[in-house]
Amino acid sequence: MPKGKKKGKYEHRRTELPYSSDEDAGIDMTNDNYSETSGQSDLRSHDDAENEIQEKLEEKVLEIIDALSARANAARAAALVALRNALQRRYLAHLLSGQRVTLAEHITKALRRGKDGEKKAAAAVAPLLALQIGEEGTEEFMSEVRPALFAAATDKTASLDTRTECCSSLAVLCYLLEEDLNEILEVMKMFETIFSGSYLKGDGSVKISGAAVEEGSWHAAALDGWALLLALLDGRHAAATLRERPPSFTRLAELLDACSLDVRLAAGCALAAAHERAADGDADGHVAWDEPAAAPRLALLARDSHKYRAKRDRKLQRATFRDILKYFEDGEIDEERVRVGAETLCVDSWAARGAYSALAAALGAGLAVLAPHAPELRTALGLPPAAPHAAPRAKLNKLQRHLQNTAACKARTLARNKSRDKRSAALAL
């Protein structure tokens, strides 16, 4: 084309003729040929793909463990967060069993010397690590990490979020793995010293201050942890503990008037769980507590409509205390069924509710991942022992899912057309 001459209307188009059809292009689109040729990449076995993903994740976890020795505080905190995310995705006991000593040292050091971000991340990953390092190293891990969490939960120099996370993790660790009753009672005593800050004043008035509101989540975490560990005691021992050790039922009822919503909700659930546990060990079928004085307060909280509280807070409080009031008045608990992986968990008591809530908050997505492998977790959830050689159900690959969906769509279309034909014939008559 001469220089400066503009292109014509059709000169920019390609001169090569396209293939007239798929047959001319040498492509056979029948299902049999597709499944043997162009679908080869999708026919790779599911096991090979899973093994490849597992190997990549294991390499990443080893890199994260190396990063726990970084000099920068922020880098160590980020490595702990990444480790928690990885442990929530896969069961890696065979890999972590050889790193148990190193991991215990890193977690302990972070809890004792780290800054707030590192302490909080270390406390959050501790329950997941305890369930994934193998049964042989659990006792050693607990002996090192539990005292560090105990100290961090009461460290006034740490932030409230960090202390709250430490209380929750310590309660879950003791609930799952602690066998020494004296240690459990010691942790419960420490929790009581924390949430005692929300008791009523000596003149019976409510503590209303900025500190009382800010520390509400910390006090609530300690109260939830106390109620969780109380479920480990047998009924008779629990009833004796409530009579002889603080807090008593009267003290627990005082927390229903706390200015923090979190403390009020935790107090209601702890009161119901304590009454349920103590009633199991009472030969007379009743518990020594001032029920006539507490029942009106529970009813008032179940109908609370004060406008100075947030709408969401009012809704959550009414829903929670309606269930608590129903338990104390009728002795009934609404049964709930929760899916944990491929299994169904039945939650039919206040102790089971508290256990599931605490474990779900501490383990997150790792709850479903660890349930088939950790006997302690299965016992805590009330699940039967896992089958010794339960083979995982293989997933369909991309081609199989496509063919299955196509067949289902065709069946639906035929059924719909048949229904339309019948309806048209009926209308014609």
Side-chain angles (χ1 to χ4, degrees):
M1 181 183 299
K3 186 176 180 181
K5 183 179 179 181
K6 296 183 179 179
K7 290 183 179 180
K9 185 176 181 181
Y10 301 103
E11 289 183 7
H12 66 283
R13 295 186 176 179
R14 292 173 59 93
T15 57
E16 296 85 1
L17 294 175
Y19 289 115
S20 58
S21 66
D22 292 332
E23 184 178 356
D24 295 336
I27 301 175
D28 186 0
M29 295 302 291
T30 58
N31 285 338
D32 293 339
N33 191 51
Y34 180 73
S35 61
E36 294 177 1
T37 56
S38 60
Q40 287 296 328
S41 60
D42 292 332
L43 287 175
R44 185 177 58 176
S45 68
H46 178 70
D47 292 339
D48 293 342
E50 284 293 319
N51 291 336
E52 184 178 351
I53 295 174
Q54 184 79 7
E55 291 175 0
K56 289 182 179 179
L57 182 61
E58 290 178 1
E59 293 176 1
K60 183 66 176 178
V61 168
L62 291 176
E63 293 176 3
I64 292 172
I65 294 175
D66 292 338
L68 295 176
S69 304
R71 297 184 62 181
N73 225 300
R76 294 196 299 270
L80 288 168
V81 173
L83 180 60
R84 183 173 188 266
N85 294 335
L87 296 182
Q88 288 179 334
R89 293 174 55 192
R90 296 276 174 163
Y91 185 65
L92 302 172
H94 62 284
L95 176 67
L96 299 179
S97 59
Q99 303 280 342
R100 61 170 67 103
V101 177
T102 302
L103 291 170
E105 290 177 355
H106 283 307
I107 298 299
T108 305
K109 184 177 179 181
L111 290 170
R112 294 190 181 278
R113 305 179 188 177
K115 295 183 179 179
D116 275 335
E118 188 178 358
K119 279 186 178 181
K120 185 178 179 181
V125 78
L128 283 164
L129 271 178
L131 292 173
Q132 292 228 35
I133 59 175
E135 297 181 3
E136 296 179 359
T138 300
E139 185 177 354
E140 183 180 356
F141 183 86
M142 285 289 294
S143 64
E144 291 191 29
V145 174
R146 186 189 59 243
L149 277 173
F150 191 102
T154 56
D155 185 6
K156 295 296 182 68
T157 62
S159 66
L160 288 171
D161 289 342
T162 299
R163 282 178 272 170
T164 300
E165 189 69 46
C166 289
C167 285
S168 301
S169 295
L170 179 60
V172 169
L173 277 177
C174 291
Y175 183 74
L176 291 174
L177 303 171
E178 186 57 64
E179 298 179 355
D180 189 350
L181 183 59
N182 292 327
E183 291 291 345
I184 293 173
L185 293 176
E186 189 68 24
V187 173
M188 291 176 65
K189 181 180 178 181
M190 183 268 291
F191 283 154
E192 194 275 335
T193 61
I194 293 175
F195 64 76
S196 63
S198 291
Y199 288 157
L200 298 181
K201 296 180 181 179
D203 57 357
S205 60
V206 181
K207 294 181 180 179
I208 301 177
S209 63
V213 176
E214 292 175 359
E215 294 179 352
S217 59
W218 180 38
H219 293 176
L223 185 52
D224 286 336
W226 178 88
L228 181 66
L229 296 183
L230 183 68
L232 295 177
L233 309 181
D234 60 77
R236 190 178 305 175
H237 193 182
T241 300
L242 289 166
R243 288 193 302 266
E244 301 169 3
R245 293 171 175 259
S248 61
F249 279 107
T250 304
R251 280 297 197 178
L252 286 176
E254 289 182 6
L255 297 175
L256 297 174
D257 295 317
C259 59
S260 171
L261 172 67
D262 293 335
V263 175
R264 292 197 301 274
L265 297 178
C269 295
L271 198 61
H275 182 276
E276 178 186 64
R277 196 62 182 158
D280 292 340
D282 198 322
D284 299 331
H286 68 276
V287 184
W289 74 296
D290 192 7
E291 185 173 352
R297 183 57 185 156
L298 294 173
L300 185 62
L301 290 169
R303 299 191 305 266
D304 187 9
S305 59
H306 291 299
K307 297 299 182 182
Y308 61 83
R309 288 181 180 146
K311 184 176 180 180
R312 175 191 170 276
D313 293 351
R314 295 198 306 269
K315 184 177 180 181
L316 179 59
Q317 177 177 288
R318 287 197 296 266
T320 302
F321 280 98
R322 276 197 297 266
D323 293 341
I324 296 172
L325 186 62
K326 182 179 179 181
Y327 165 72
F328 281 112
E329 290 181 345
D330 305 329
E332 298 179 1
I333 302 174
D334 293 335
E335 182 178 312
E336 300 178 4
R337 294 191 173 274
V338 184
R339 293 284 293 177
V340 179
E343 299 175 279
T344 302
L345 171 65
C346 180
V347 181
D348 56 358
S349 66
W350 285 103
R353 279 192 182 187
Y356 175 74
S357 298
L359 293 173
L363 304 180
L367 182 66
V369 174
L370 293 173
H373 307 284
E376 302 87 358
L377 182 58
R378 297 187 67 85
T379 302
L381 293 174
L383 295 173
H389 299 289
R393 184 174 56 184
K395 296 182 179 179
L396 300 178
N397 58 39
K398 185 177 180 180
L399 175 62
Q400 291 170 336
R401 291 196 304 270
H402 170 71
L403 296 177
Q404 190 178 41
N405 293 337
T406 301
C409 181
K410 184 177 180 180
R412 286 195 302 269
T413 302
L414 293 174
R416 185 169 58 249
N417 292 340
K418 187 180 296 184
S419 177
R420 285 174 179 171
D421 293 341
K422 290 180 180 179
R423 187 161 58 245
S424 299
L427 291 175
L429 294 177

